[in-house]
Amino acid sequence: MEENNQPLIDPQKYPNFWEQMQGFKDFLKTVGQDVAEGNGFLVSEEKAQERMNICTECPQFDQNHKRCYLCGCFMEAKIKFKSSTCPAAKW
């Protein structure tokens, strides 16, 4: 907590906990399918950087915490997976 007793992250700016867990469950299922089918599941470093560049320019991106306000994901991790998608359909 900050000195003014305000939370460091405003939970009202992100989807609620259960919505985030549903998204994470769906993500894990898709990654698991990619692995089971023998497909690669990570994008190249160049593609990941391209995605992150798009995110950092988006008004839905929390610059301080590197999270998306729409899905609640930690973008430095999400951008690396082939099956990940942008909730604003920007990548």
Side-chain angles (χ1 to χ4, degrees), residues 23 27 31 41-43 48 51-52 55 66 68 70-88 91:
F27 164 75
V31 170
F41 61 95
L42 297 175
V43 298
R51 289 176 171 186
M52 193 64 177
C55 292
K66 309 290 189 240
C68 175
L70 296 177
C71 63
C73 292
F74 291 91
M75 299 312 295
E76 289 179 330
K78 183 175 182 172
I79 60 169
K80 297 177 181 180
F81 293 89
K82 284 184 180 180
S83 61
S84 293
T85 58
C86 170
W91 50 263

Side-chain angles (χ1 to χ4, degrees), residues 11-73:
Q12 299 303 314
K13 291 183 178 181
Y14 298 103
N16 73 45
F17 175 81
W18 295 112
E19 290 170 329
Q20 290 182 57
M21 290 301 100
Q22 180 65 44
F24 188 60
K25 180 188 81 130
D26 294 343
F27 164 75
L28 289 176
K29 179 180 176 184
T30 304
V31 170
Q33 288 172 335
D34 286 343
V35 171
E37 293 170 2
N39 299 325
F41 61 95
L42 297 175
V43 298
S44 67
E45 287 185 36
E46 293 80 18
K47 177 61 95 178
Q49 187 59 55
E50 178 184 314
R51 289 176 171 186
M52 193 64 177
N53 291 342
I54 293 167
C55 292
T56 59
E57 297 299 319
C58 181
Q60 299 299 327
F61 182 70
D62 180 342
Q63 298 286 342
N64 293 324
H65 299 102
K66 309 290 189 240
R67 291 180 70 183
C68 175
Y69 289 127
L70 296 177
C71 63
C73 292

